[in-house]
Amino acid sequence: ANSNAGGMTSEVLDDYEEGTWTPDITTGSEGISFSYMEGKYFKIGNWVWIHCGFKISSIASIQTYSCKIYGLPYTGANYGSYQEPMGLVIGGGFATSALGQSGLAFYKVNGNSDLGARRLDGNADTAINNNAVFQVGTFMKLQMGYYTA
């Protein structure tokens, strides 16, 4: 590059990384097995783009708690209320069949390495528990970006 755009401070790409991560949807006691699991990411500066996908093949027991995806590759920044990055889920086989019609999204929980689930209903988003989302046969893919802390 040979000219700076307004506000640009550098033309050098000096912080690039890509790798894999392991999406985790449990608190450790459910005994969930997967027939497919993938997590990839790339990071440029303080911007992280993630991709994850999985399909549940068995569940020993499902607990009732807020549905989350744990273990993101980087801790996220703190965002203001209703300003958190959000990614829509493509998937099926949900425990609540209406999720396939109303929509399911995950948002970046402020200041940590979790994603929280939201059911999209009309003009609102509603927190949802994992036992309303996951069951044997649930599959999903999610892509989204967020800023690091």
Side-chain angles (χ1 to χ4, degrees):
N2 55 16
S3 65
N4 286 337
M8 179 185 277
T9 59
S10 174
E11 295 177 353
V12 178
L13 178 61
D14 61 355
D15 184 9
Y16 177 84
E17 176 184 330
E18 59 183 72
T20 61
W21 63 288
T22 303
D24 185 4
I25 62 169
T26 73
T27 60
S29 61
E30 287 82 4
I32 297 178
S33 297
F34 301 89
S35 58
Y36 168 78
M37 164 102 38
E38 177 180 60
K40 295 182 178 182
Y41 74 93
F42 69 83
K43 178 180 177 284
I44 300 174
N46 65 346
W47 177 252
V48 180
W49 184 262
I50 61 166
H51 162 83
C52 72
F54 58 82
K55 183 173 183 183
I56 298 173
S57 58
S58 68
I59 300 175
S61 68
I62 191 98
Q63 308 297 318
T64 301
Y65 53 85
S66 295
C67 183
K68 291 186 177 184
I69 296 176
Y70 303 95
L72 294 177
Y74 286 92
T75 299
N78 284 314
Y79 297 89
S81 182
Y82 294 99
Q83 296 176 20
E84 303 93 345
M86 183 176 279
L88 296 176
V89 169
I90 297 172
F94 300 115
T96 303
S97 61
L99 287 178
Q101 298 164 356
S102 64
L104 177 65
F106 280 85
Y107 72 97
K108 180 65 202 76
V109 177
N110 277 326
N112 64 29
S113 58
D114 302 344
L115 298 176
R118 291 285 188 258
R119 178 179 176 166
L120 305 177
D121 293 310
N123 197 23
D125 62 39
T126 307
I128 189 167
N129 287 336
N130 67 332
N131 63 337
V133 177
F134 302 129
Q135 66 180 357
V136 173
T138 298
F139 64 94
M140 61 176 269
K141 290 199 178 255
L142 168 71
Q143 295 186 46
M144 66 177 284
Y146 66 95
Y147 286 102
T148 61

